[in-house]
Amino acid sequence: MPSASETLLLITIFLLIPLHAVSSTIHAGHAIPINGLCRDTCGTIPVKFPFGTGFGCGHPDFVRYIKCSSETLQFSTGTGIYTISSIDYNSSTIVVTDPLMSTCSSMQNSGGFSLDRTSPFTIREENIFVLLGCSTTSPVFDPNEDLCDTGSGSRVCRGLYSCKGVAGIGLQQNAPISTCCVYDSHVGVGSGYALVLPKLQCSSYTSIYEFGDEGDPMKWKFGISLQYNDSYYTNACKDCEASEGLCGFSGLDQSFACICQNGVNTTRSCFEQGYALSGAVELEVQIKTIIGDVIRPLSSQSLHRLQFTIFSTGGRRMRKLRFFFLAIAAVLATLQEVRSHGDQPLSKIAVHKAVSALHAHAYVKASPTILGLKGQYSEWVTLDFSSPNPSIDDWIGVFSPANFSASTCPPETPSTSAPFLCSAPIKYQYANYTSPRYKDTGKGFLKLQLINQRSDFSFALFSGGLSNPKLVAVSNKIAFKNPKAPVYPRLAQGKLWNEMTVTWTSGYDITEATPFVEWGSKGELVRSPAGTLNFDRNSLCGAPARTVGWRDPGFIHTAFLKELWPNTVYTYKVGHRLSNGSSILSQEYQFRASPYPGQNSVQRVVIFGDMGKDEADGSNEYNNFQRGSLNTTKQLIQDLKNIDIVFHIGDICYANGYVSQWDQFTAQVEPIASAVPYMIASGNHERDWPGTGSFYGTTDSGGECGVLAQTMFYVPAENRAKFWYSTDYGMFRFCVADTEHDWREGTEQYKFIENCLATVDRQKQPWLIFLAHRVLGYSSASFYVAEGSFEEPMGRESLQKLWQKYKVDIAVYGHVHNYERTCPIYQNICINKEKHYYKGSLNGTIHVVAGGGGASLATFAPVQTKWSIVKDYDYGFVKLTAFDSSNLLFEYKKSRDGKLLGVMKEIKLRLAILLVLATLQNASSHGEQPLSRISIRKATFALHELAYIQASPTVLGLRGENTEWVTLEFGSTNPSVDDWIGVFSPANFSASTCPEENPRVYPPFLCSAPIKFQYANYSTPEYKDTGKGFLKLQLINQRSDFSFVLFSGGLLNPKVVAVSNHVAFANPDAPVYPRLAQGKEWNEMTVTWTSGYGINEAEPFVEWGPRGESMRSPAVTQTVDRNSLCGAPARTVGWRDPGFIHTSFLKELWPNRVYAYKLGHRLFNGTYIWSQTYHFRASPYPGQNSLQRVVIFGDMGKDEADGSNEYNNFQRGSLNTTKQLIRDLKNIDIVFHIGDICYANGYLSQWDQFTAQIEPIASTVPYMIASGNHERDWPGTGSFYENMDSGGECGVLAENMFYVPTETRAKFWYSTDYGMFRFCIADTEHDWREGTEQYRFIEHCLASVDRQKQPWLIFLAHRVLGYSSCISYAEEGSFEEPMGRESLQKLWQKYKVDIALYGHVHNYERTCPIYQNICTNEEKHYYKGSLNGTIHVVAGGAGASLSTFTTLQTKWSIFKDYDHGFVKLTAFDHSNLLFEYKKSKDGQVYDSFRISRDYRDILACTVDSCPSTTLAS
């Protein structure tokens, strides 16, 4: 029987043995691999060394890449898991297949491919990567890079594009190969070894490793051929395989193991007796002894003496075994890297790789050994150290507790032993930091500042840098006199205004001491008990917080000091009463109690975010992680007498799972937090962790998942896990949101925010401040701009109406590490032009980013938004000073000097918030109407008898034509390059035709602009020299005669030199330019046309019917007089009688039937006036499953075939678009022109010009329009925008010239059904926001559609209510029409709108399916199933001068084109839709996608598309 000492030794050693080694030895006669027996096949594929079927099998370098799962051999990389289709062990080659990779038979959008830099695989030279469906602006086509093989690679591209499968990526068979690239070099594949398709702007890729028949791509072999490193095959492995074993490795030290069929794993072969720890267990274990502070192996003599007996189960015989406890463990759980704004410095240390390399001549000496003898909580320590092999990357780590060996490591799993080190140091510094000659002398010294952290300290000298640390020497231990002392008090407002809370940290558990605060004023002291919190490793959520970052946080105590007198100064001490009756007390602190709510006194508030911590001794600072932190802290301490309360709005200390850093931070802010309330908000670096309920599934908290922040600081939240709260301070109400939990409408937090804003008494607390970590308002940070949002995606959409409704003064955010201030703003529009001194009302909220408290700075995007007033790329903080209930001072101070930024020194920002009416800026027109260039009212009489103009023929339209060419011959005695010809109609354009505007003012010589003009030398370049010229102009029938005038003096000072004879159409009053439109019923077609016949001289009608049948339908007649219009030029120089506009309603049509029709007028003498005969096809019935084709565009305008009027190429793309539609008219069923119709801009004659231009289209298929700014906008007329873009038309012309099925034409919103389509057309020139009449219409239109019949739901509007990268919107800081999508996006999402299309911006752009700024589908060209969002398209490039894009690349923008073009939708059936973007110049498709889905996909719930449910419902 063993002695007591032997038993103790046996137990000690037993506890040091890895658990799995003990259990395996006890419960089995042989070792069992932890993953089961290794196998030599996976499915049908033989598996040989160096590969294995699981952990412990094969070579360890291949384990992370190759595994067998469900009988499938898999290859893993950073981009995905791929199937291994074959292995050739003779050539050391594997072939992997990517299920998303394109092949000839099936092409689809791909995800990309990568190889890790350190992997034992390389891409074989014969392997060819081909990029497909690339943008023409892709970097792969950069001629300076030479990345594409343009020789033989062209044949490969042509072969692939000949495959039918190209339809899967939106291309036509045999499409041009300009979007295909064959790589010459694999090094060029993205960055490193990664093929990143989004960066390369390509939609798919394929890989070919063998050409069976180069001419037939169906016979090519698709896959990725990889060469693996075969140098791992050793003699030991050969011996193992010869003994019918499989080569594997030890699970602890990765040494070789032979895994035998019977499960016994050996160190050599299955014929031998040695054992190994692999998937099996190694029974030779090196014992670790801990002597002092150094981990040392036992001597061989000691090992011989250490023999003991373990009984095996089943009564088997006892075995004497020699145990050697391993010094280093090889396997640890892989830690997910924490993403932050820069890495947490401690995360750079590869703690788990540390090994022992102790040297007898190396040392570290620390002094003094006892700290805090005078009660200090912080003290400097001096280190002297030496190494016989110094290096520039040697470093000193500070460890606490001082014993940092593996004996302190908890067992992670029974299959692994503890590593040599399992805890990161609490700080570190390089050995040469203060000893530059250390590398030469091997000697150095270092001064480090330590704080009391409840345990002792030791200092370790490491070589090998941070990535391969080798322990060279360990110091003596040092400690604070009382490590458990109460430290670092943090004040916070309680739940009542007259309550203060004190939180502090100590090493005293409630079982050994009772915590309290001793406090009072003027010598009157009381004691208030404190509650105590603590947490263990298991309370945290992941690594590093639960692993290398773990350190015992001690005990956190909070006491509540209640019923305080306002503004009274109180002293306090934090303390603990020990069980022996003695007390431990901190030093004495003091604070001033809060003012009572509404108290009219000076009150000063400091606000900032993202400060983090820094080390006064310079340690830890890898890459200047939070270099501004100490400066901010110092400035606040220096000005502390002028600060009443502090708000640190998230990203507190960036511990990121390294728990010791919270102590460091509370020590740093102690001078502030112990004197004034230090209120915090939750940030991503405190809370975010996947699967823990945080709104964002990132790993930013390093596994803390909010536990540290919720425990280390008190906030007056109802539930600390829900970190939102309100607090009152005198004249302030602060509503503090938690952006790491959902804040959107309908959530619990949204209800809290509204209640916080709504319940404040603004008489008492006039200053209403909203605080949050992430930017829910406005920011020009480059990463937000890349999101295409200028805010946290989904940020302000729900909240801005609350801010506006309850008149929030200022909203302040962190997260973005810089400073920025906006104008007072609502829905992207500045509503106050003042910048520094606000008097009276604001009617908006000023948004401030104050995230530059200390962490590494964030760059601004290179765009100047209209709402951004001040930006600063520096560290700083905000200070609010309320002087009284009417005056507030806002200051931004820099951390480096505490001074105000720029002009803020002299000019203070004062706010007094009430209510004001927003004034909107004049909207700039997209180019000017050419006729507006003529100063017609300045025209003078300068006729010359030798000057002339002759026009021929004099009678036009003798064969019924409505368009004809006229030839002009003209001469002048004084020709000039700026002479020009004006076409006037009516021909008599003198002052006698001018209406009397003022009886005291003579009318001008001319009062009507010409209907078109051209320069005299346009077709006669020698005109200036000869004085003679000719010109051919095209005229249309416009209900009056024409004359032609030669002017000198240019457009600005026109002088009439000569006037022509009159010319006219044979019947100027003839019915012309029919425009079809859908009626209010699906089986109704309307015909609108223009004539010169009033209802007092003829009856208008349409004669129509199918082949061989005819009937007549009467028409209603409307006209417009000058007084119906709203301003100049429409009522003045632009006025021209628009004639009579007639509309007839053709009802009860048979679906899809072709009808003929003629326009007619029955004169009162019984005769008839007829147009030519036209044809149209009636609409399909709702839900009809047939081919249906829709064309959509905006902003086309008109152009002149004769080249006239085109000043500055006003609408140069218009004719091309018109021609392409006419050419393809047989393949078009309906057209939508979504606003900015003809850009008449008050020159009424241009409406006739436009209807004539589109007559071939509009007379054949329904031509539906929407209202745009150039049709409607005019001040004081009810338009939403108070600009003058309509030129005084104020919607009258558009509402009369075209029919749309609205309830009232003045409200230009409507819906129309076409077969399988439902179109909801909004009027962006009237208010669309929630609560308006139009909003209710839009919701009803979307909600009332039967998606079984009409699965394709399309939203149309003129202005971009969705998303656009236009530079003007970027400068607005909105990427949309300001106030655009905020109200509507929840309707689009709720009712699953497929596509939303807009005009207004003169280019083309398509987004991903998107909701609240976030792409909901990563596909780009072939959408299967639910979109989960709406695809937004700008199609405003039909003709008017183009709009430039911002240089910023947003994440949601898939395709952009700076050219003229239009969109075509083709519904093949209820499940398949094709979208195409075609260019006007050639009619070719330049962008496309397909949607393929079933009705059930429409029914499926997506985010915010289905109502919330409960178990009861």
Side-chain angles (χ1 to χ4, degrees):
M1 186 172 180
S3 67
S5 60
E6 289 174 326
T7 302
L8 178 61
L9 178 60
L10 186 150
I11 293 172
T12 303
I13 298 174
F14 183 81
L15 292 175
L16 292 173
I17 299 172
L19 180 60
H20 75 276
V22 176
S23 60
S24 297
T25 305
I26 292 176
H27 294 296
H30 55 262
I32 304 295
I34 59 173
N35 62 312
L37 291 173
C38 298
R39 297 162 49 199
D40 58 5
T41 61
C42 180
T44 59
I45 298 180
V47 179
K48 301 180 182 179
F49 191 82
F51 306 132
T53 54
F55 186 78
C57 307
H59 193 280
D61 286 1
F62 288 83
V63 166
R64 61 175 294 191
Y65 301 103
I66 307 290
K67 71 174 181 178
C68 184
S69 177
S70 301
E71 295 303 312
T72 300
L73 198 60
Q74 295 178 335
F75 177 76
S76 299
T77 75
T79 48
I81 299 175
Y82 308 91
T83 299
I84 298 176
S85 58
S86 65
I87 302 178
D88 186 339
Y89 291 98
N90 293 325
S91 61
S92 304
T93 303
I94 70 170
V95 175
V96 301
T97 56
D98 179 355
L100 295 179
M101 186 177 73
S102 289
T103 65
C104 185
S105 58
S106 174
M107 295 192 189
Q108 57 190 321
N109 284 7
S110 307
F113 179 78
S114 71
L115 277 182
D116 298 343
R117 291 181 181 273
T118 58
S119 78
F121 296 92
T122 57
I123 300 170
R124 289 177 64 89
E125 290 185 1
E126 61 267 27
N127 201 93
I128 293 175
F129 278 99
V130 188
L131 303 179
L132 307 170
C134 300
S135 166
T136 54
T137 61
S138 167
V140 300
F141 298 128
D142 186 342
N144 297 321
E145 297 294 335
D146 193 25
L147 293 176
C148 298
D149 180 358
T150 55
S152 59
S154 300
R155 293 197 299 273
V156 176
C157 284
R158 278 193 292 271
L160 289 170
Y161 277 20
S162 70
C163 298
K164 292 182 179 180
V166 295
I169 57 173
L171 297 175
Q172 296 178 344
Q173 198 170 0
N174 295 312
I177 64 171
S178 56
T179 61
C180 175
C181 171
V182 176
Y183 267 92
D184 276 334
S185 169
H186 302 139
V187 177
V189 181
S191 59
Y193 297 96
L195 187 72
V196 185
L197 295 185
K199 290 183 179 179
L200 299 178
Q201 300 176 30
C202 300
S203 59
S204 184
Y205 85 97
T206 190
S207 176
I208 306 159
Y209 67 92
E210 186 176 322
F211 293 92
D213 179 351
E214 190 166 347
D216 184 1
M218 288 298 292
K219 296 181 180 178
W220 296 351
K221 292 187 178 181
F222 294 93
I224 303 168
S225 180
L226 302 175
Q227 187 90 39
Y228 65 85
N229 187 342
D230 61 356
S231 64
Y232 296 91
Y233 199 58
T234 62
N235 290 330
C237 184
K238 292 178 183 178
D239 293 341
C240 175
E241 290 180 343
S243 67
E244 299 184 347
L246 295 176
C247 302
F249 61 92
S250 163
L252 290 178
D253 61 357
Q254 297 187 356
S255 60
F256 175 77
C258 184
I259 301 176
C260 305
Q261 294 180 7
N262 62 0
V264 176
N265 302 346
T266 78
T267 56
R268 291 175 289 278
S269 75
C270 296
F271 301 142
E272 304 282 343
Q273 295 297 317
Y275 289 90
L277 263 168
S278 164
V281 175
E282 180 179 309
L283 297 181
E284 279 194 273
V285 183
Q286 179 183 348
I287 294 178
K288 272 191 301 188
T289 62
I290 303 172
I291 303 174
D293 313 304
V294 184
I295 304 168
R296 306 181 188 276
L298 289 180
S299 68
S300 57
Q301 292 178 342
S302 301
L303 291 173
H304 282 296
R305 290 196 298 270
L306 278 172
Q307 295 182 338
F308 61 92
T309 303
I310 298 178
F311 290 89
S312 62
T313 60
R316 292 180 179 174
R317 64 182 176 85
M318 296 184 293
R319 295 177 180 172
K320 285 191 175 181
L321 301 172
R322 186 177 302 169
F323 281 81
F324 299 91
F325 196 78
L326 292 176
I328 304 167
V331 181
L332 264 184
T334 304
L335 303 181
Q336 185 172 2
E337 183 179 349
V338 178
R339 179 179 65 85
S340 74
H341 307 288
D343 292 315
Q344 159 56 251
L346 297 177
S347 71
K348 296 292 182 178
I349 304 173
V351 172
H352 59 284
K353 290 185 178 180
V355 296
S356 176
L358 292 170
H359 196 284
H361 299 292
Y363 63 85
V364 181
K365 299 176 182 177
S367 61
T369 56
I370 300 177
L371 310 176
L373 290 174
K374 297 180 180 179
Q376 313 98 304
Y377 302 146
S378 173
E379 195 158 345
W380 288 83
V381 173
T382 300
L383 304 180
D384 290 304
F385 51 89
S386 176
S387 172
N389 298 300
S391 172
I392 57 172
D393 58 359
D394 289 0
W395 56 279
I396 303 285
V398 183
F399 289 86
S400 179
N403 178 10
F404 57 92
S405 68
S407 64
T408 66
C409 300
E412 290 277 320
T413 68
S415 59
T416 60
S417 68
F420 177 59
L421 293 182
C422 60
S423 177
I426 61 173
K427 61 166 66 180
Y428 67 91
Q429 185 54 277
Y430 285 97
N432 61 1
Y433 181 69
T434 53
S435 303
R437 299 188 62 240
Y438 167 77
K439 182 178 180 297
D440 301 321
T441 65
K443 297 185 182 298
F445 77 95
L446 192 61
K447 290 182 74 68
L448 294 175
Q449 188 180 48
L450 297 187
I451 62 167
N452 195 340
Q453 287 187 267
R454 302 168 306 285
S455 191
D456 53 0
F457 303 84
S458 62
F459 306 85
L461 175 61
F462 288 88
S463 63
L466 300 178
S467 57
N468 290 288
K470 301 176 181 64
L471 179 63
V472 177
V474 180
S475 77
N476 52 300
K477 294 179 185 179
I478 67 173
F480 278 83
K481 180 181 178 181
N482 180 7
K484 294 184 175 183
V487 290
Y488 320 132
R490 289 87 76 182
L491 299 175
Q493 293 278 96
K495 291 185 178 180
L496 299 177
W497 70 268
N498 60 350
E499 179 182 55
M500 188 71 73
T501 69
V502 186
T503 300
W504 72 97
T505 308
S506 83
Y508 292 111
D509 188 0
I510 56 174
T511 60
E512 54 182 328
T514 302
F516 62 88
V517 172
E518 185 173 273
W519 63 284
S521 65
K522 298 179 180 178
E524 300 176 2
L525 298 179
V526 294
R527 286 188 175 183
S528 293
T532 297
L533 296 170
N534 179 248
F535 55 88
D536 61 18
R537 187 189 303 256
N538 295 325
S539 301
L540 304 177
C541 297
R546 291 181 68 156
T547 56
V548 296
W550 167 256
R551 185 181 189 275
D552 191 318
F555 300 94
I556 297 92
H557 317 279
T558 300
F560 297 82
L561 318 187
K562 301 185 177 185
E563 298 182 1
L564 305 177
W565 282 79
N567 313 298
T568 300
V569 175
Y570 291 89
T571 61
Y572 72 98
K573 297 178 183 179
V574 296
H576 295 264
R577 185 177 185 275
L578 304 181
S579 56
N580 64 7
S582 62
S583 293
I584 305 295
L585 290 170
S586 72
Q587 69 181 65
E588 184 175 273
Y589 302 91
Q590 66 179 27
F591 67 87
R592 183 180 298 276
S594 302
Y596 60 83
Q599 179 178 310
N600 204 341
S601 61
V602 176
Q603 294 154 18
R604 301 150 303 184
V605 183
V606 164
I607 307 170
F608 56 84
D610 306 68
M611 184 168 79
K613 55 158 286 292
D614 202 351
E615 297 288 343
D617 57 19
S619 60
N620 279 31
E621 286 314 288
Y622 192 99
N623 256 355
N624 293 319
F625 183 48
Q626 293 144 14
R627 60 181 179 177
S629 175
L630 282 182
N631 282 342
T632 301
T633 305
K634 289 175 183 176
Q635 290 301 331
L636 298 187
I637 294 171
Q638 288 174 8
D639 195 40
L640 198 54
K641 64 181 181 296
N642 297 312
I643 298 171
D644 297 312
I645 187 170
V646 169
F647 286 87
H648 186 160
I649 48 177
D651 285 8
I652 308 301
C653 69
Y654 291 89
N656 295 359
Y658 291 86
V659 180
S660 65
Q661 305 304 287
W662 283 92
D663 287 320
Q664 304 279 346
F665 176 78
T666 53
Q668 178 174 313
V669 300
E670 186 218 35
I672 307 164
S674 63
V676 299
Y678 197 96
M679 313 300 296
I680 70 166
S682 179
N684 50 305
H685 286 281
E686 285 75 62
R687 180 61 184 83
D688 291 1
W689 192 259
T692 64
S694 58
F695 191 50
Y696 297 86
T698 71
T699 60
D700 287 359
S701 76
E704 293 179 14
C705 55
V707 174
L708 271 296
Q710 294 160 15
T711 308
M712 297 293 288
F713 284 82
Y714 174 84
V715 296
E718 292 301 318
N719 178 344
R720 289 201 189 185
K722 299 170 182 176
F723 219 75
W724 53 81
Y725 63 94
S726 67
T727 193
D728 296 332
Y729 191 90
M731 294 178 285
F732 287 96
R733 160 68 63 88
F734 297 96
C735 298
V736 186
D738 177 2
T739 59
E740 310 318 298
H741 286 89
D742 197 348
W743 62 84
R744 294 174 298 170
E745 192 167 4
T747 62
E748 181 182 358
Q749 183 171 192
Y750 181 90
K751 294 171 186 173
F752 154 76
I753 293 171
E754 181 162 27
N755 182 70
C756 181
L757 301 177
T759 56
V760 61
D761 182 347
R762 297 301 285 274
Q763 271 195 308
K764 291 183 176 180
Q765 293 165 307
W767 309 115
L768 183 53
I769 312 298
F770 178 84
L771 302 177
H773 177 61
R774 294 178 188 258
V775 183
L776 304 184
Y778 299 81
S779 167
S780 301
S782 56
F783 63 86
Y784 276 146
V785 175
E787 295 277 359
S789 62
F790 288 102
E791 60 166 335
E792 188 68 31
M794 305 180 287
R796 61 180 172 266
E797 281 76 2
S798 292
L799 296 178
Q800 61 187 347
K801 61 184 178 182
L802 297 185
W803 299 328
Q804 188 73 357
K805 179 179 180 180
Y806 298 110
K807 303 183 179 69
V808 171
D809 299 325
I810 307 175
V812 188
Y813 315 98
H815 196 59
V816 173
H817 302 170
N818 54 37
Y819 168 76
E820 185 170 17
R821 172 168 63 90
T822 76
C823 58
I825 191 170
Y826 178 51
Q827 292 185 330
N828 284 101
I829 293 179
C830 289
I831 43 108
N832 195 315
K833 295 181 180 179
E834 184 52 59
K835 293 185 177 181
H836 297 285
Y837 190 12
Y838 297 97
K839 293 182 179 179
S841 308
L842 278 184
N843 195 35
T845 298
I846 294 173
H847 293 262
V848 176
V849 173
S856 52
L857 293 170
T859 58
F860 291 102
V863 61
Q864 180 56 49
T865 60
K866 293 182 179 179
W867 41 253
S868 182
I869 291 179
V870 180
K871 299 189 190 84
D872 188 39
Y873 182 77
D874 203 350
Y875 299 103
F877 54 92
V878 159
K879 186 177 182 181
L880 305 179
T881 303
F883 297 102
D884 51 40
S885 59
S886 299
N887 292 279
L888 179 77
L889 171 66
F890 173 103
E891 297 169 301
Y892 165 65
K893 297 186 174 187
K894 295 216 181 204
S895 299
R896 64 187 179 198
D897 56 15
K899 295 181 179 178
L900 301 176
L901 174 63
V903 297
M904 295 295 287
K905 284 184 179 179
E906 289 80 30
I907 305 176
K908 311 302 183 186
L909 171 64
R910 295 180 183 271
L911 309 175
I913 312 299
L914 291 171
L915 181 63
V916 69
L917 181 65
T919 56
L920 303 180
Q921 300 294 319
N922 288 344
S924 58
S925 177
H926 304 288
E928 294 182 81
Q929 161 57 251
L931 297 177
S932 70
R933 297 287 179 166
I934 305 172
S935 300
I936 201 68
R937 287 181 172 268
K938 291 184 180 180
T940 58
F941 189 81
L943 289 172
H944 196 284
E945 61 181 3
L946 298 180
Y948 64 91
I949 300 184
Q950 295 176 343
S952 62
T954 57
V955 181
L956 311 175
L958 291 173
R959 298 179 181 176
E961 308 99 315
N962 296 323
T963 301
E964 196 156 345
W965 289 83
V966 173
T967 300
L968 303 180
E969 295 181 1
F970 50 88
S972 174
T973 56
N974 297 299
S976 171
V977 291
D978 58 359
D979 289 358
W980 56 281
I981 305 288
V983 182
F984 288 85
S985 180
N988 179 11
F989 57 90
S990 68
S992 62
T993 65
C994 298
E996 186 178 90
E997 293 196 1
N998 187 327
R1000 297 186 179 185
V1001 178
Y1002 285 103
F1005 175 63
L1006 295 181
C1007 60
S1008 178
I1011 61 175
K1012 62 166 64 179
F1013 68 90
Q1014 187 54 277
Y1015 285 96
N1017 62 1
Y1018 180 72
S1019 53
T1020 311
E1022 64 276 11
Y1023 167 77
K1024 181 179 181 298
D1025 302 319
T1026 65
K1028 297 183 183 298
F1030 76 94
L1031 193 61
K1032 291 180 73 69
L1033 294 174
Q1034 188 182 52
L1035 299 185
I1036 63 167
N1037 194 340
Q1038 287 187 265
R1039 303 168 306 284
S1040 192
D1041 53 0
F1042 303 85
S1043 62
F1044 307 86
V1045 181
L1046 175 61
F1047 288 88
S1048 64
L1051 301 177
L1052 297 180
N1053 293 289
K1055 301 175 180 65
V1056 177
V1057 176
V1059 182
S1060 77
N1061 54 301
H1062 293 192
V1063 301
F1065 278 84
N1067 181 6
D1069 293 330
V1072 290
Y1073 320 132
R1075 288 90 76 183
L1076 299 175
Q1078 295 275 96
K1080 291 186 178 180
E1081 303 290 335
W1082 70 268
N1083 58 351
E1084 180 182 53
M1085 187 71 74
T1086 68
V1087 186
T1088 300
W1089 72 96
T1090 308
S1091 82
Y1093 294 110
I1095 55 174
N1096 58 350
E1097 52 185 325
E1099 295 175 352
F1101 62 89
V1102 172
E1103 185 173 278
W1104 63 285
R1107 182 179 298 178
E1109 304 176 24
S1110 68
M1111 64 190 81
R1112 290 183 180 177
S1113 292
V1116 297
T1117 298
Q1118 300 180 95
T1119 189
V1120 175
D1121 64 20
R1122 192 188 300 256
N1123 292 327
S1124 302
L1125 304 175
C1126 298
R1131 292 181 65 156
T1132 55
V1133 295
W1135 167 257
R1136 185 180 188 276
D1137 192 321
F1140 299 95
I1141 297 99
H1142 317 278
T1143 299
S1144 182
F1145 298 83
L1146 317 186
K1147 300 185 178 185
E1148 296 183 2
L1149 305 177
W1150 284 76
N1152 312 299
R1153 199 164 188 180
V1154 174
Y1155 291 86
Y1157 71 98
K1158 290 192 295 185
L1159 316 174
H1161 292 264
R1162 183 181 180 274
L1163 304 182
F1164 289 151
N1165 62 9
T1167 60
Y1168 289 87
I1169 306 296
W1170 297 101
S1171 73
Q1172 69 183 67
T1173 299
Y1174 302 91
H1175 295 84
F1176 70 85
R1177 183 181 298 276
S1179 302
Y1181 60 84
Q1184 179 177 309
N1185 204 346
S1186 62
L1187 188 67
Q1188 295 155 18
R1189 300 150 304 186
V1190 184
V1191 164
I1192 305 170
F1193 56 83
D1195 306 68
M1196 185 168 77
K1198 54 161 285 292
D1199 203 350
E1200 298 287 343
D1202 57 18
S1204 60
N1205 278 33
E1206 285 315 285
Y1207 193 99
N1208 241 3
N1209 293 321
F1210 182 47
Q1211 292 143 16
R1212 60 182 180 175
S1214 175
L1215 283 181
N1216 281 342
T1217 301
T1218 305
K1219 289 175 183 176
Q1220 291 301 334
L1221 298 186
I1222 294 171
R1223 288 174 183 170
D1224 196 39
L1225 200 53
K1226 64 181 181 297
N1227 297 313
I1228 298 172
D1229 298 311
I1230 187 171
V1231 170
F1232 287 88
H1233 186 160
I1234 48 178
D1236 284 7
I1237 308 301
C1238 69
Y1239 291 90
N1241 295 0
Y1243 291 86
L1244 273 61
S1245 65
Q1246 305 304 287
W1247 282 95
D1248 288 317
Q1249 303 280 345
F1250 177 77
T1251 54
Q1253 177 175 313
I1254 65 166
E1255 186 214 35
I1257 307 164
S1259 64
T1260 306
V1261 299
Y1263 197 96
M1264 314 301 294
I1265 70 165
S1267 179
N1269 51 304
H1270 286 280
E1271 286 76 61
R1272 182 60 184 84
D1273 291 2
W1274 193 258
T1277 65
S1279 58
F1280 190 49
Y1281 297 88
E1282 295 281 278
N1283 57 60
M1284 305 172 72
D1285 287 0
S1286 75
E1289 293 179 13
C1290 54
V1292 174
L1293 270 297
E1295 294 161 10
N1296 284 276
M1297 295 294 287
F1298 285 83
Y1299 174 84
V1300 292
T1302 59
E1303 292 302 316
T1304 167
R1305 291 201 186 185
K1307 299 171 181 176
F1308 221 74
W1309 52 80
Y1310 63 95
S1311 67
T1312 191
D1313 296 333
Y1314 191 90
M1316 295 176 287
F1317 288 96
R1318 160 68 62 89
F1319 297 96
C1320 298
I1321 297 92
D1323 176 3
T1324 58
E1325 310 318 299
H1326 286 89
D1327 197 348
W1328 61 84
R1329 294 173 298 172
E1330 191 168 3
T1332 63
E1333 181 181 0
Q1334 182 172 193
Y1335 181 89
R1336 291 191 290 272
F1337 153 76
I1338 293 171
E1339 180 161 27
H1340 179 264
C1341 180
L1342 300 177
S1344 60
V1345 61
D1346 182 346
R1347 297 300 285 272
Q1348 269 193 306
K1349 291 182 177 179
Q1350 293 165 305
W1352 309 114
L1353 183 53
I1354 311 298
F1355 179 84
L1356 303 176
H1358 177 60
R1359 294 178 187 258
V1360 183
L1361 303 184
Y1363 299 81
S1364 167
S1365 301
C1366 176
I1367 190 169
S1368 62
Y1369 281 145
E1371 290 171 351
E1372 293 278 1
S1374 61
F1375 289 114
E1376 60 163 339
E1377 189 67 32
M1379 305 179 287
R1381 60 181 173 265
E1382 282 74 3
S1383 291
L1384 296 179
Q1385 60 187 348
K1386 62 183 177 183
L1387 296 185
W1388 299 327
Q1389 187 74 356
K1390 179 178 180 180
Y1391 298 110
K1392 303 184 180 74
V1393 171
D1394 296 315
I1395 307 173
L1397 295 103
Y1398 315 97
H1400 197 59
V1401 172
H1402 301 170
N1403 54 37
Y1404 169 76
E1405 185 171 17
R1406 172 168 65 92
T1407 76
C1408 58
I1410 191 170
Y1411 178 52
Q1412 291 184 329
N1413 284 99
I1414 293 178
C1415 290
T1416 58
N1417 194 313
E1418 295 181 357
E1419 184 54 57
K1420 291 186 178 181
H1421 295 286
Y1422 191 14
Y1423 299 98
K1424 294 181 180 180
S1426 177
L1427 293 175
N1428 300 321
T1430 298
I1431 296 171
H1432 294 261
V1433 176
V1434 173
S1441 52
L1442 293 170
S1443 304
T1444 55
F1445 292 102
T1446 178
T1447 56
L1448 306 168
Q1449 179 57 46
T1450 58
K1451 292 183 179 179
W1452 40 253
S1453 182
I1454 289 179
F1455 192 99
K1456 300 188 190 83
D1457 187 40
Y1458 181 77
D1459 204 349
H1460 298 290
F1462 54 93
V1463 160
K1464 185 176 182 181
L1465 305 179
T1466 302
F1468 298 101
D1469 51 38
H1470 286 77
S1471 298
N1472 292 281
L1473 179 76
L1474 172 65
F1475 172 102
E1476 297 172 301
Y1477 163 65
K1478 298 184 175 187
K1479 292 211 184 197
S1480 300
K1481 64 186 179 186
D1482 57 14
Q1484 296 297 309
V1485 176
Y1486 284 79
D1487 181 35
S1488 67
F1489 64 84
R1490 296 176 70 98
I1491 302 175
S1492 179
R1493 68 171 182 222
D1494 297 322
Y1495 178 54
R1496 63 183 177 183
D1497 297 319
I1498 300 174
L1499 295 177
C1501 289
T1502 59
V1503 176
D1504 289 353
S1505 70
C1506 291
S1508 300
T1509 60
T1510 65
L1511 290 175
S1513 64

